[in-house]
Every structure is written in structure tokens, then in C-alpha cells.
Amino acid sequence: SAWAVGAHPAILCRCAVIGGAGSRLSKHGNHRFAALRCLNRGLVMRDLLPTLIFLAGLAQWSVLIASALVPVRLHWTSAFTGLPRLHCQLFWIYGGYVVLAIVALGALCVFNADELAGGGLFARCLSLYLAAFWGIRLSLQALLDVKPFLTTWWLHLGYHTLTLLFICFTAIFLCAALA
């Protein structure tokens, strides 16, 4: 149809299914209206996604504030005294790799938000990786025994803020991967 010229094929496919015969989306029985509403939502998301990816990049860097507090708040110096030196070194090395990964992933998002939202194969693969990275981290929140360490209101707030950030990261990058 002429009204759909220039629209992304995936959006048109979804709109055709949603706005097709037998659809109950439109109160007025106008299936073309329902398809146009769907098309407009898809276009808004396409326009909004680069901004969300950019903001997610900045927010990923903010997670490093919590990372910097971990050795101090969890008393790593005294907690690791009974461990062999190699184990302590590995903790620091693994932590360093995670920090570098978050710095790099944040930079990719901040400096390449438009490309990541563009829907190319590499952008989708990287977005899927980011969704998996933060989705796994989100799922680990439920397994961590943090209760003894959440001794103040600001630590509780920080913990729940991190959980919210992990949810947002996972959702944003999943949308980018599937867009």
C-alpha cells in the first residue's frame, strides 16, 4: 500500500498481522488505523532507541562506582588473608577484566549509539551480547547473599538501583537486538 512506503519491513510485517482481518485492536473496525498506530510506535522506538543506547552507555559507567566500593565494603583485605596469594591475585585480575569490559561496552554504546540502533548484523550481535551480559548479571542478583552487607539505607538504595539498571540494560539491548 502507498501508506506504508519507506517503512521498515519488520514493522510492516508485525503491523499486517496486528492490523489484519479479525484484529480487535481498532475500536472503529478500521484495520488500516490499527496498522498505522503500530507503524507509528515502531517509528517512535526506532527514533528513541539511539538515545536509550547512549544513556545506557553512560549508565554502564555509573555501575563502576559500585564496583569500586566492593573491595572496601566487603573488606577484601581481611577476608582474603587466609587464601593463597594466587587466589587474591586472581580476584583482582578478574575484577579488572570486568571493569575494562564495562568501560569498553559503555564506550561502544556512547560513541556508536546510532549504529547500534541501526539494526545491522554486527549491531544486532553486539546488542544480543550486551543483553546476555547484563541479563546474566541480573539473574545473579537473586543468588547473591547480600543481606549481611546492606547495613545502611544508602547501600539498600544502591543495591536496588543496580538491579533496576540491570533490568533496563537487558531490556534496551534486547530491543536493539530484535529491532
Side-chain angles (χ1 to χ4, degrees), residues 19-90:
S23 173
R24 301 207 184 265
L25 282 181
S26 175
K27 296 179 206 172
H28 311 293
N30 184 344
H31 302 298
R32 182 172 284 182
F33 175 73
L36 279 173
R37 271 197 359 227
C38 177
L39 179 64
N40 286 337
R41 270 195 306 259
L43 294 175
V44 168
M45 188 58 180
R46 188 181 70 197
D47 292 339
L48 185 60
L49 195 54
T51 302
L52 291 174
I53 291 172
F54 175 81
L55 293 173
L58 294 177
Q60 285 176 88
W61 290 338
S62 75
V63 168
L64 297 176
I65 296 168
S67 289
L69 293 174
V70 167
V72 175
R73 296 301 306 170
L74 299 185
H75 312 289
W76 275 14
T77 308
S78 61
F80 296 161
T81 53
L83 293 176
R85 185 168 180 223
L86 176 63
H87 292 174
C88 297
Q89 291 170 333
L90 288 174

Side-chain angles (χ1 to χ4, degrees), residues 120 131 150 153-154 161:
L150 299 180
W153 68 267
W154 62 271
T161 301

Side-chain angles (χ1 to χ4, degrees), residues 81-168:
T81 53
L83 293 176
R85 185 168 180 223
L86 176 63
H87 292 174
C88 297
Q89 291 170 333
L90 288 174
F91 267 97
W92 286 105
I93 289 169
Y94 297 155
Y97 270 101
V98 170
V99 167
L100 287 176
I102 293 172
V103 168
L105 295 173
L108 285 169
C109 293
V110 167
F111 298 116
N112 299 291
D114 289 328
E115 289 84 356
L116 285 172
L121 179 61
F122 180 74
R124 286 173 171 233
C125 290
L126 182 57
S127 295
L128 188 61
Y129 170 76
L130 282 158
F133 182 92
W134 290 112
I136 290 168
R137 182 58 186 88
L138 174 62
S139 66
L140 293 174
Q141 284 291 87
L143 302 177
L144 297 174
D145 183 20
V146 296
K147 199 167 196 156
F149 298 96
L150 299 180
T151 55
T152 64
W153 68 267
W154 62 271
L155 290 172
H156 276 277
L157 178 65
Y159 177 77
H160 294 298
T161 301
L162 282 174
T163 303
L164 183 61
L165 284 173
F166 299 154
I167 291 168
C168 291

